[in-house]
Amino acid sequence: MLELQAWLGHRSPSSTQFYAISPKRLAKAYSEAGYFARNVLTIEILVDRDAIDSGAAGTGDPGSTTT
C-alpha cells in the first residue's frame, strides 16, 4: 500500500485507504479532478504528430518533417 500512497501523493495512509477501498471511488476522484484529460493533453503536446505521420520520427530526425 505504500507504493500506492506515494503514487497518489498522499501524506496519510488513511487517505489512501479511503480510495483503495473502492476502485470506483478512486476512478471517480480522478475523473472529477480532470486527471485523465490533463494527461491526454500533455501527451498530445509532447507527441509530434507531423513527425510520426511523415515517418521522420522513425529516422531519429523529427526536425526533418515536411509539411
Side-chain angles (χ1 to χ4, degrees):
M1 174 118 53
L2 292 176
E3 292 87 2
L4 181 58
Q5 178 181 343
W7 185 73
L8 293 172
H10 293 155
R11 291 183 189 169
S12 168
S14 63
S15 296
T16 306
Q17 288 174 338
F18 175 81
Y19 291 105
I21 291 171
S22 171
K24 282 185 175 182
R25 191 179 299 167
L26 178 60
K28 182 180 177 190
Y30 272 114
S31 179
E32 289 174 354
Y35 178 80
F36 297 114
R38 284 194 313 270
N39 283 334
V40 168
L41 180 60
T42 301
I43 291 167
E44 288 174 352
I45 291 169
L46 294 175
V47 172
D48 184 349
R49 291 298 311 169
D50 292 335
I52 293 170
D53 293 340
S54 72
T59 66
D61 186 17
S64 68
T65 59
T66 57
T67 54

